[in-house]
Amino acid sequence: MVTMNQLNTKARNTWCPGCGNFAILTALKKAIVELDLKPENVVVVTGIGCHGKLGDYINVNSFHVIHGRVLPVASAIKLANYELTVIGHAGDGDAYAIGLGHLPHAARRNVDIVYIVHNNMTFGLTTGQVTPTTPRGLKTRSTPYGVFEDPINPIALALACDATFVARGFAGDLNHLTYLIKEAIKHRGFAFIDVLQPCVTFYNTYQFFRERTYRLEDEGWDPTNKVEAFKKAYEWGDRIPIGIFYRVEKPTFRDSIPGYPKQPLVKEDLKIDLTDLLNLLT
Amino acid sequence: MDISIIIGGEAGAGVMRSGYILARALVRGGLSVFGMNDYPSLIRGGHNAYMIHASDKRIHAHRENFDIVVALNAETITRYVDQLTENAAIIYDPKDRSYAEKLSDKALLVEIPMMDIVKEEKAKPVMMNSVAIGAAAGLTEYDYEILKSSILDSFPKPEVGEINARLAKRGYDIALEEYSSKFKIKVAPLEKDGKQIYLTGNEAVALGAMQAGMKFYAAYPMTPASPILHFLALHGPKYGIVVVQPESEIAAINMVIGAAYAGVRAMTATSGGGFSLMTEALGLAAMSETPIVVAIAQRVGPSTGMPTYTAQTDLMFVLNASQGEFPRFVIAPGDVKECFYRTIEAFNLAEKFQVPAIILIDKYLAESHMSTEIFDTSNIKIDRGELITGEYKGKEYRRYEVTETGVSPRAIPSTRNAIVKANSSEHTEYGYASSNALNAVKMQEKRFRKLKYMIMEMDKLNPAIYYGDPQAELVLIGWGSIKCPVLDALEILKSMDISVGFLHFIYLSPFPVKYALKYLKDRKIMLVENTYTGQLANLLKMHTGLTVDYKVLRYDGRPINPSQIVEKVFEVIR
């Protein structure tokens, strides 16, 4: 069984002290340990931004890809070898700006992967510009007179995309986040977690979210009702819910693909006999 | 015997299908056949045509003039007036007689009551095309039974095949009895060993990918590459191949990269516009050293351009696509046979060197049908390079281990005793991000050290092939599908006792410098290319210092005709 220490790497961590990414990384490691996953059977796919370095800091397979393209890369890794646990990590820029177009499709296909969005509501690595989740009115380097667009609602969005597991976590609540990631990994299908992640340098929201977040699980929330989940998704004020808003079992993408072989693609023999097909062309 | 037939009609009249069926009948008779479509980017209402060039000698391209015009509508009768040969015939329905009569001095008028026959046989109006191709076969006294076999095998439902065969027989009989004595060209099946197949470049690329062991294909529809998607979606599942049409070309190539990282041979295909969207991810494949194959079927640009017409204008774009510097293979097969075997080669090279490999074709090759001997699949080699599966036996696995050849042993996720860290950022041997200057030099040199070995490997694979007179003073050069019209032009020139050479470039990256120097030094060089600027000339000069003396260029979306090349050679020799 792998230990937390064995999941460390030699790479020097360059996140700011107090960065919300630390909690997400720790929660992920704890989930891997507690679920007793083998590091060689886990793949982490990360996008561009501060979160993108996460792969360097965890001793599992990783692929640091280009901006916004975590979902197609992660989806295909899972299709190629469904015995792997595939976890996509994206920033709010990755997930909700440049790469938003992939979300509805990964969700409606119900690809059996986990998608964790490190939502710090700012572009940290490019030194603090507006993102699609930055609150209206906030002054950022690219909106010096205040943000003049409404932010999107990631939970409502994921629900509308028919994701089969929709959750929100908070980087200030490590135990709860670990629980969410474990449930997401166990979920057979597309598991979406939006993580409220303070950026200590450009948008420190620890205090704000500590005062407002509460766990859905503590209030006996029933995550099987989609309409109620939608209503819940719009609760954003003095009280901000975290937890599993909605989950449902559906066939996964692989279940639906015609002719998917009886074993992972990666184990298939490359040699095939084309004689019959060539004869069709005579 | 050499014959050229054009079947024309409204979009939706089954022009391509009936043309294909007639051509397939000729292929089954052992003839050498080239079939080309011409259609605008719309579904109904435009003019469609399918051209068949067939011969008892080996041919490689279309012919720009026609011995038989099969007119499924009035427009077809008049449209090709300037392209009729001396002894041409026009097959038409009596309803279009007034158009045909004006051409009585230019062609034999073969009036076939196609619509009446369709009514009598209680068939659908669209099936008049079967009467028409039957008439074309009858006019040339071709063997009806072969045509019948082609018809029956081309319709999935046997009863539909039967009706069409009956309709074809009616047209056949009338043409044979009433007109064939007045038509000079007779087509007879040949006694030939071995089976021929009749397929497009797209189909050959798809088959090559399947034979290479590709297990994952993702592509977004784009003319003229979509038929690869159609072919693989239809046939792939029977062979354990997963075929996905994702939300964009960006998703397609990123999926292919993901699948390849996980250890599966994977490919995507597109045209120039789609490839524009893929360029960023091409760099990801290069930087992460993930072996992928991308097939590109060029069409006329810039932008939307003319989607259903041909061009070779994306050469420089493909050679330079994506930011930064990295080695890549760009391979341009020249016919369907090369499409098949070179695609297999591309998969092997991509994995052996862990670089992107691009198959570069164009609409002319992608969508034209060619007859060829059935592919020999008994000797296909699959070389996965330094792939590690199962267990890594070394001490501490490093995905980007610096080696003499620049190629690092490639483990895949799930390999025991190996953690595989791939990275789009510049990275250390372990795959951790790094912007250290010394490390950057080390890794960039590692990636480029492959180039020397890529060239050595390429030089063993006939990257450029010389045709024609080895001593010729004038050597034509071209790449990709240009091989088709040039080889036919060479035959025409040979019959006139004019000897020229032809150096066909199949590899454009790496550039086959040795071959270029060997065959082109101290010769007059004539470039043949479907572009405005003559891109291969620039490439040749850049790599060898050699300059092109003459150019045959075409940029109207139509393929270069063999006769166009012959004329230019005449002009130069004079």
Side-chain angles (χ1 to χ4, degrees):
Chain A
M1 187 168 157
V2 69
T3 64
M4 289 294 280
N5 273 341
Q6 285 168 342
L7 287 177
N8 292 336
T9 70
K10 291 174 188 166
R12 192 170 66 90
N13 196 303
T14 56
W15 288 329
C16 304
C19 174
N21 278 320
F22 285 105
I24 301 174
L25 174 62
T26 305
L28 174 67
K29 285 180 180 172
K30 283 179 75 169
I32 289 169
V33 169
E34 289 173 21
L35 292 174
D36 194 19
L37 302 177
K38 289 197 175 96
E40 71 261 28
N41 288 337
V42 177
V43 184
V44 162
V45 182
T46 65
I48 296 295
C50 293
H51 86 277
K53 297 172 187 168
L54 182 137
D56 282 7
Y57 308 144
I58 181 165
N59 194 31
V60 298
N61 303 297
S62 63
F63 198 166
H64 182 210
V65 300
I66 50 179
H67 197 29
R69 312 303 165 205
V70 168
L71 284 177
V73 174
S75 299
I77 292 171
K78 186 70 182 183
L79 281 181
N81 187 355
Y82 60 78
E83 289 171 353
L84 300 169
T85 299
V86 181
I87 303 163
H89 292 261
D92 42 317
D94 264 305
Y96 306 137
I98 193 168
L100 180 65
H102 302 301
L103 178 61
H105 305 287
R108 73 187 170 94
R109 289 176 193 132
N110 202 26
V111 191
D112 186 15
I113 59 174
V114 178
Y115 191 40
I116 300 173
V117 183
H118 300 225
N119 181 7
N120 60 9
M121 305 172 184
T122 182
F123 276 116
L125 196 58
T126 50
T127 68
Q129 296 85 0
V130 63
T131 77
T133 49
T134 316
R136 189 178 259 274
L138 192 78
K139 287 183 179 171
T140 74
R141 296 193 67 184
S142 56
T143 56
Y145 307 108
V147 174
F148 45 86
E149 296 157 303
D150 276 339
I152 61 161
N153 181 331
I155 300 297
L157 181 67
L159 287 167
C161 294
D162 287 342
T164 53
F165 180 105
V166 180
R168 178 191 284 140
F170 172 41
D173 190 345
L174 179 64
N175 286 339
H176 183 254
L177 185 57
T178 306
Y179 155 76
L180 289 181
I181 294 175
K182 278 164 67 181
E183 290 302 304
I185 290 173
K186 285 191 282 182
H187 176 71
R188 202 170 174 279
F190 184 70
F192 170 89
I193 310 175
D194 180 76
V195 183
L196 303 171
Q197 181 217 339
C199 170
V200 290
T201 303
F202 294 105
Y203 190 40
N204 193 339
T205 52
Y206 273 116
Q207 185 72 16
F208 179 86
F209 287 125
R210 275 219 178 91
E211 287 167 1
R212 288 168 177 79
T213 52
Y214 73 95
R215 298 176 178 181
L216 285 169
E217 291 76 13
D218 291 346
E219 306 206 342
W221 178 253
D222 170 18
T224 63
N225 188 322
K226 195 161 184 181
V227 174
E228 290 302 317
F230 258 113
K231 286 184 194 162
K232 207 64 175 167
Y234 285 92
E235 184 178 319
W236 186 273
D238 292 343
R239 299 188 84 222
I240 296 174
I242 57 172
I244 301 166
F245 284 69
Y246 181 68
R247 74 199 298 179
V248 66
E249 287 281 327
K250 275 187 193 172
T252 69
F253 195 31
R254 174 168 63 86
D255 300 334
S256 310
I257 287 176
Y260 195 101
K262 292 196 168 56
Q263 57 182 356
L265 294 182
V266 72
K267 292 186 177 170
E268 285 283 287
D269 190 358
L270 267 64
K271 284 209 164 28
I272 59 169
D273 182 2
L274 283 181
T275 311
D276 291 348
L277 193 46
L278 288 170
N279 279 327
L280 286 180
L281 299 167
T282 57
Chain B
M1 191 287 301
D2 194 282
I3 191 165
S4 173
I5 304 167
I6 186 162
I7 299 159
E10 281 224 339
V15 169
M16 318 281 197
R17 187 165 188 82
S18 50
Y20 168 78
I21 291 169
L22 178 58
R24 192 181 191 187
L26 299 172
V27 173
R28 287 185 173 191
L31 298 162
S32 182
V33 182
F34 187 99
M36 181 173 95
N37 61 36
D38 185 304
Y39 65 102
S41 184
L42 45 76
I43 301 303
R44 293 296 288 264
H47 181 79
N48 281 5
Y50 190 89
M51 298 159 226
I52 301 167
H53 180 201
S55 175
D56 50 11
K57 289 191 277 300
R58 180 88 172 86
I59 50 121
H60 309 84
H62 64 290
R63 225 174 69 189
E64 76 284 5
N65 53 11
F66 307 111
D67 303 308
I68 301 176
V69 175
V70 181
L72 300 181
N73 63 356
E75 185 184 347
T76 306
I77 297 174
T78 48
R79 196 178 173 110
Y80 304 100
V81 175
D82 297 335
Q83 288 163 274
L84 296 175
T85 56
E86 230 168 83
N87 300 302
I90 301 174
I91 297 171
Y92 62 94
D93 186 86
K95 75 174 162 46
D96 300 325
R97 188 182 296 148
S98 59
Y99 296 90
E101 276 172 352
K102 290 177 199 147
L103 303 176
S104 56
D105 58 331
K106 289 198 165 71
L108 170 68
L109 302 184
V110 181
E111 188 171 295
I112 307 286
M114 297 186 251
M115 294 307 289
D116 290 346
I117 290 171
V118 165
K119 268 180 217 146
E120 285 165 30
E121 298 285 345
K122 297 188 175 60
K124 290 181 187 157
V126 69
M127 292 180 184
M128 74 179 272
N129 56 31
S130 287
V131 185
I133 59 170
L139 193 61
T140 62
E141 295 174 17
Y142 193 63
D143 185 340
Y144 169 74
E145 289 305 316
I146 302 180
L147 176 62
K148 187 179 172 185
S149 83
S150 171
I151 293 172
L152 295 181
D153 287 349
S154 299
F155 290 95
K157 287 185 189 160
E159 64 272 22
V160 180
E162 289 292 345
I163 299 170
N164 280 284
R166 212 162 58 229
L167 292 168
K169 185 71 165 71
R170 299 271 315 257
Y172 184 91
D173 287 343
I174 298 172
L176 183 70
E177 285 157 25
E178 296 178 22
Y179 297 99
S180 68
S181 60
K182 293 173 233 164
F183 188 69
K184 285 193 177 162
I185 305 170
K186 301 298 163 211
V187 183
L190 303 176
E191 292 299 320
K192 227 177 176 184
D193 294 336
K195 267 191 246 177
Q196 288 199 107
I197 49 176
Y198 187 58
L199 75 171
T200 64
N202 276 333
E203 288 166 343
V205 167
L207 285 163
M210 293 172 83
Q211 189 69 80
M214 177 192 71
K215 298 296 171 202
F216 183 82
Y217 181 78
Y220 190 78
M222 185 166 188
T223 305
S226 306
I228 300 177
L229 173 62
H230 306 161
F231 188 91
L232 291 169
L234 181 64
H235 299 294
K238 280 170 246 160
Y239 297 87
I241 297 167
V242 168
V243 179
V244 179
Q245 182 193 312
E247 56 274 22
S248 64
E249 285 90 350
I250 294 175
I253 189 169
N254 279 286
M255 280 185 169
V256 164
I257 291 168
Y261 163 77
V264 161
R265 285 194 160 184
M267 181 173 92
T268 184
T270 185
S271 190
F275 187 63
S276 294
L277 294 176
M278 291 183 181
T279 52
E280 189 192 17
L282 184 76
L284 170 62
M287 187 53 140
S288 63
E289 302 190 47
T290 308
I292 62 163
V293 177
V294 181
I296 302 168
Q298 299 163 99
R299 63 191 223 189
V300 181
S303 196
T304 310
M306 294 196 284
T308 57
Y309 287 89
T310 200
Q312 296 186 294
T313 41
D314 296 340
L315 175 60
M316 285 300 179
F317 169 44
V318 166
L319 288 171
N320 297 294
S322 212
Q323 74 271 27
E325 299 169 296
F326 57 87
R328 71 192 80 190
F329 284 106
V330 177
I331 306 168
D335 56 27
V336 290
K337 192 176 168 187
E338 289 177 2
C339 281
F340 180 73
Y341 291 106
R342 298 291 184 171
T343 299
I344 300 169
E345 201 168 286
F347 275 94
N348 285 339
L349 292 171
E351 282 207 308
K352 196 163 179 186
F353 295 97
Q354 300 172 22
V355 295
I358 294 166
I359 305 286
L360 189 57
I361 56 176
D362 51 41
K363 190 268 171 185
Y364 179 56
L365 174 53
E367 291 198 351
S368 293
H369 288 98
M370 302 174 204
S371 63
T372 187
E373 63 272 31
I374 197 161
F375 299 139
D376 178 9
T377 58
S378 59
N379 258 326
I380 303 293
K381 284 194 180 64
I382 289 177
D383 181 355
R384 305 206 66 184
E386 299 199 38
L387 184 72
I388 304 163
T389 53
E391 185 174 0
Y392 176 63
K393 299 286 189 335
K395 193 164 162 281
E396 198 175 19
Y397 180 71
R398 287 165 292 161
R399 173 63 189 93
Y400 301 110
E401 182 183 341
V402 171
T403 62
E404 169 59 30
T405 59
V407 177
S408 313
R410 174 172 158 244
I412 57 172
S414 80
T415 307
R416 284 186 303 282
N417 192 34
I419 292 298
V420 187
K421 300 198 112 31
N423 210 324
S424 67
S425 294
E426 187 55 281
H427 42 258
T428 65
E429 288 186 73
Y430 288 94
Y432 301 135
S434 166
S435 35
N436 175 289
L438 289 175
N439 179 73
V441 169
K442 188 170 88 173
M443 297 314 285
Q444 184 65 343
E445 288 180 355
K446 162 198 152 36
R447 287 188 293 270
F448 261 101
R449 237 181 354 263
K450 295 176 189 177
L451 188 54
K452 180 178 132 192
Y453 297 91
M454 286 165 66
I455 292 168
M456 281 163 59
E457 182 82 9
M458 174 191 75
D459 280 343
K460 289 185 263 177
L461 298 170
N462 297 316
I465 298 174
Y466 190 87
Y467 299 87
D469 177 5
Q471 310 302 327
E473 273 173 46
L474 178 66
V475 179
L476 312 184
I477 63 167
W479 59 278
S481 72
I482 221 71
K483 174 185 175 184
C484 298
V486 172
L487 287 191
D488 278 6
L490 251 51
E491 283 303 313
I492 298 169
L493 289 164
K494 208 168 124 192
S495 70
M496 299 166 164
D497 274 332
I498 298 168
S499 75
V500 295
F502 170 49
L503 185 60
H504 179 234
F505 287 87
I506 296 168
Y507 279 68
L508 284 318
S509 175
F511 193 75
V513 173
K514 272 188 205 162
Y515 286 75
L517 289 172
K518 179 178 171 192
Y519 293 107
L520 299 177
K521 215 161 169 264
D522 304 321
R523 315 266 196 118
K524 289 284 182 198
I525 304 171
M526 179 185 288
L527 170 66
V528 188
E529 196 177 74
N530 259 122
T531 63
Y532 179 84
T533 57
Q535 298 185 14
L536 182 61
N538 298 336
L539 198 62
L540 181 71
K541 188 161 190 181
M542 185 174 99
H543 284 288
T544 65
L546 296 171
T547 47
V548 162
D549 302 280
Y550 316 100
K551 287 177 186 169
V552 182
L553 303 174
R554 186 164 187 174
Y555 40 88
D556 60 358
R558 276 66 182 170
I560 291 174
N561 297 328
S563 62
Q564 197 182 341
I565 301 163
V566 170
E567 278 164 29
K568 183 73 180 177
V569 170
F570 268 171
E571 189 188 310
V572 164
I573 285 177
R574 252 191 262 132

